[in-house]
């Protein structure tokens, strides 16, 4: 295998979801600074999914005006927008404006929308572009995609976002004689600012852009491994959408029958896994992470947000060295991962008094549950991506589209439950009294 090309594929994947992943791990700090508070994750989930207008617009342009847009041009544009948006966030993330008589994070939401356009559109452009390389580099790309969450998570751990302590009124100097004891939450300052964190994200997007430039300069006769660059790569998204069946058959012929054959039922199951896994990881659970973790303390929320990102590249690496395409196995992992997700959701529903609140054991369980939930479902994402890559370029396009539909359904389902019906309750760990 060509190590330089693996490094380029990994670096290219680094820019796929870096912005959105970075926003999630920085949330423990932002929820204490922005007016939306604990509801910020649900707003963010919906905003990210509204950015599905990006891939939809690209697909419609290719459908109505074939040849007008090229896949590479779209990717170049996306990465440049990503760099610019991260830089703007570094300076404007905490600016607020009055909307309907209340302060809202207008600048943050506006810039985040454009960042989300980059990440959502990457699902139907970055991965299909990787079909120009042999299948082994697709897995390396997924490792880079995982690192797009791990690196911001590691930076957030160093930053120390959202760490707090409880102080009684005497420590704050506010207690008067005869008044009852009271506690308040004091948030410890991070080691460096949120602006510096967003500059780090901009640097990661620059690395991805440089890697993409380098990948496009590779000569098409260059032997990457035992396979040459695939000669059947398609330059636009629409071409894949228009000829899924023909693409799968052509790939099978060109690979000498190498593409896996699946029945209609099996293909339906594969795409259902894509739909459900993305609905859970990108829509349903992120919307309530504050409610499931904050009752255990800011440290638990901080660790669950940052360390769960470690599970992503670890799962991708495991998939690279220990792949298992068995649909029965992947189905079992889906049930197991869904079980951990259900626990997280149950703790959110029980907020502000979830199980084992106030105990170290409860904090450990909730952090591990988020780690395992993320890791197991990430492994499934990688394996279904590899399975569909072996079928055709168009199968990967549909995989990306299905992933975005799942994410959209998940976030739209949770938004009214969190913000309209307010089924989830917030609470201050320093002042909430729960029954033993």
């Amino acid at each position: 295998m060509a190590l330089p090309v693996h490094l380029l594929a990994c670096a290219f994947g680094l820019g796929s979801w870096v912005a959105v992943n970075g926003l999630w791990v920085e949330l423990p700090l932002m929820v204490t600074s922005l007016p939306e508070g604990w509801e910020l994750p649900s707003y963010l989930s919906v905003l990210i999914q509204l950015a599905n207008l990006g891939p939809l617009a690209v697909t419609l342009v290719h459908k109505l005006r074939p040849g007008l847009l090229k896949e590479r041009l779209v990717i170049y544009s996306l990465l440049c927008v990503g760099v610019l948006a991260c830089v703007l966030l570094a300076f404007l993330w905490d600016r607020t404006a009055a909307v309907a008589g209340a302060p809202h994070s207008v600048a943050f939401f506006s810039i985040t929308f454009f960042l989300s356009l980059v990440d959502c559109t990457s699902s139907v452009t970055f991965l299909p572009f990787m079909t120009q390389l042999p299948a082994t580099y697709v897995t390396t790309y997924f490792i880079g995609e995982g690192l797009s969450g791990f690196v911001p998570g590691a930076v957030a751990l160093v930053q120390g976002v959202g760490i707090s302590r409880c102080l009684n009124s005497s420590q704050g100097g506010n207690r008067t004689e005869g008044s009852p004891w009271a506690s308040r939450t004091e948030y410890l300052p991070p080691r460096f600012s949120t602006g510096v964190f967003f500059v780090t994200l901009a640097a990661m997007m620059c690395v991805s852009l440089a890697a993409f430039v380098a990948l496009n300069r590779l000569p098409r006769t260059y032997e990457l491994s035992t396979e040459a660059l695939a000669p059947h790569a398609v330059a636009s998204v629409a071409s894949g959408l228009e000829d899924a069946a023909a693409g799968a058959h052509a790939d099978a012929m060109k690979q000498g029958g190498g593409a896996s054959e699946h029945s209609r039922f099996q293909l339906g199951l594969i795409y259902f896994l894509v739909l459900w896994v993305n609905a859970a990881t990108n829509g349903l659970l992120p919307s309530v992470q504050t409610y499931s973790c904050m009752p255990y303390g800011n440290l638990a929320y901080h660790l669950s947000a940052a360390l769960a990102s470690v599970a992503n590249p670890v799962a991708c690496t495991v998939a690279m060295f220990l792949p298992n395409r068995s649909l029965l196995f992947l189905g079992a992992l889906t049930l197991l991962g869904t079980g951990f997700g259900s626990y997280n959701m149950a703790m959110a529903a029980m907020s502000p008094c979830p199980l084992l609140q106030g105990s170290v054991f409860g904090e450990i369980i909730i952090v591990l549950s988020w780690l395992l939930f993320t890791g197991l479902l990430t492994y499934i994402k990688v394996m279904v991506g590899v399975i569909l890559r072996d079928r055709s370029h168009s199968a990967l396009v549909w995989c990306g589209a299905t992933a975005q539909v799942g994410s959209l359904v998940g976030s739209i389902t949770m938004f009214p439950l969190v913000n309209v019906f307010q089924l989830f309750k917030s609470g201050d760990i320093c002042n909430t009294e729960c029954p033993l």
Side-chain angles (χ1 to χ4, degrees), residues 33 44 79 82 120 203 232 341 376 426 434:
S33 303
L44 188 59
L79 291 173
C120 291
H232 59 283
L376 290 173
S426 61
C434 296

Side-chain angles (χ1 to χ4, degrees), residues 234-250:
V234 186
S236 70
V237 177
S239 58
L241 293 174
E242 292 169 357
D243 199 8
H249 177 72

Side-chain angles (χ1 to χ4, degrees), residues 36 40 43-44 47 104-114:
E36 288 74 18
L40 188 61
Y43 280 98
L44 188 59
L47 194 65
H104 285 283
S105 309
V106 176
F108 174 73
F109 288 148
S110 300
I111 300 172
T112 296
F113 176 74
F114 285 99

Side-chain angles (χ1 to χ4, degrees), residues 39 94 207 285 340 399:
E39 295 178 353
D94 57 350
V207 170
L285 272 300
F340 288 113
C399 177

Side-chain angles (χ1 to χ4, degrees), residues 80-102:
C80 290
V81 170
V83 172
L84 178 61
C86 287
V87 172
L88 290 176
L89 270 181
F91 299 98
L92 303 175
W93 73 273
D94 57 350
R95 301 289 181 87
T96 61
V99 177

Side-chain angles (χ1 to χ4, degrees), residues 15 17-18 60 71 104 116 135-136 156 175 190 203 209 211 228 235-236 255 326 337-338 359 365 373 379 384 395 406:
W17 286 93
V18 60
L60 289 176
E71 196 168 71
H104 285 283
S116 303
T136 181
R175 183 175 180 264
L209 176 59
S236 70
Q255 296 176 16
S326 167
T338 300
S359 72
I365 289 178
F373 164 74
Y379 180 90
V384 295

